[in-house]
Amino acid sequence: MRLALFTVLSFGFVLITGLWVPFVKSLYLIIVAVVLCASVGGLIGIIAARNDRFSALIRPINDALQTMPQFVFLIPALMFFKVGEFSGLIAISLYAVVPAIRYTEAGLRSVSTNLLETATQIGCTPLQSMLLVQLPTARPALLLGLNQVVMAAITMLPVAATVGTAELGQQIYIALGKADAGLGITAGLVFCLLAINLDRILRGVAERLRGTH
């Protein structure tokens, strides 16, 4: 109930500030980027968990993506796509996909071998073992990984604003250009509320799932 009340009050604050449209556009970009990262990163993580050679190959790529300056991710997006929302989405996804890969692999590798052997003994195929044993057991780790993907996507939003996205990051750049402290602080607070709400919701789901295991 406290989280629900906080979320409602946050929405009310966003409406009062007049930043509802940029807020919704930010939320839209984050949701699309998270779905894309969870799908692609989750698949790569599953393959890495099942193949040591692939895991060793993908590890330095993950390290490079995670340590590279954020503005570098705009270069490939602008090379292949024109300035706009889609380029911003590509840049956000490139930066935020690493936690999905790493947490998926770590979560699946942490599943007990005894549990997997039991599933094999009762007749589960590798696919059934993956879907019915490994993924449900690794759900808390997967949700924490999803939480990190969301936080990475939010972190990348102001950078993506430089290629023409019309969301909260753009409002911060407008405030910076006009030296408008009021708009800058307000947009920053809305940005913070967006991150806090998404973080608390995902953490709450992860803790409940962890408590059921």
Side-chain angles (χ1 to χ4, degrees):
M1 286 301 296
R2 284 183 296 179
L3 178 58
L5 179 61
F6 179 74
T7 302
V8 170
L9 291 175
S10 299
F11 285 166
F13 177 78
V14 176
L15 283 169
I16 292 170
T17 60
L19 293 175
W20 180 257
V21 173
F23 171 81
V24 172
K25 287 183 177 180
S26 298
L27 186 60
Y28 155 75
L29 265 178
I30 291 170
I31 290 174
V32 175
V34 167
V35 170
L36 186 61
C37 290
S39 302
V40 176
L43 179 60
I44 294 173
I46 289 172
I47 297 172
R50 299 177 66 87
N51 189 311
D52 291 337
R53 286 186 178 181
F54 184 76
S55 177
L57 175 66
I58 203 70
R59 196 174 300 124
I61 298 175
N62 285 336
D63 292 338
L65 289 174
Q66 206 160 38
T67 56
M68 199 173 291
Q70 293 175 330
F71 282 95
V72 175
F73 293 98
L74 300 176
I75 298 172
L78 291 173
M79 282 176 60
F80 297 103
F81 309 101
K82 63 181 181 179
V83 171
E85 303 284 344
F86 191 71
S87 293
L89 174 64
I90 296 300
I92 293 170
S93 300
L94 285 173
Y95 181 73
V97 73
V98 176
I101 298 172
R102 286 190 159 161
Y103 275 84
T104 301
E105 181 182 359
L108 293 178
R109 285 183 180 273
S110 68
V111 177
S112 170
T113 53
N114 293 332
L115 192 60
L116 295 176
E117 288 173 1
T118 302
T120 302
Q121 289 172 0
I122 62 175
C124 286
T125 64
L127 180 60
Q128 289 173 329
S129 179
M130 172 66 67
L131 296 177
L132 302 177
V133 179
Q134 284 184 282
L135 288 178
T137 305
R139 272 187 305 183
L142 298 180
L143 281 171
L144 286 176
L146 188 64
N147 178 278
Q148 293 303 307
V149 171
V150 171
M151 294 301 107
I154 291 174
T155 302
M156 192 65 183
L157 270 179
V159 179
T162 60
V163 294
T165 58
E167 31 76 28
L168 289 172
Q170 189 64 248
Q171 298 300 312
I172 293 174
Y173 281 112
I174 292 172
L176 184 63
K178 295 180 177 180
D180 188 340
L183 176 60
I185 293 171
T186 303
L189 285 173
V190 173
F191 216 101
C192 181
L193 289 172
L194 173 62
I196 290 173
N197 276 286
L198 291 174
D199 176 71
R200 295 295 183 272
I201 290 170
L202 288 173
R203 283 184 182 273
V205 173
E207 287 173 5
R208 287 198 175 194
L209 286 175
R210 190 181 302 162
T212 60
H213 272 268

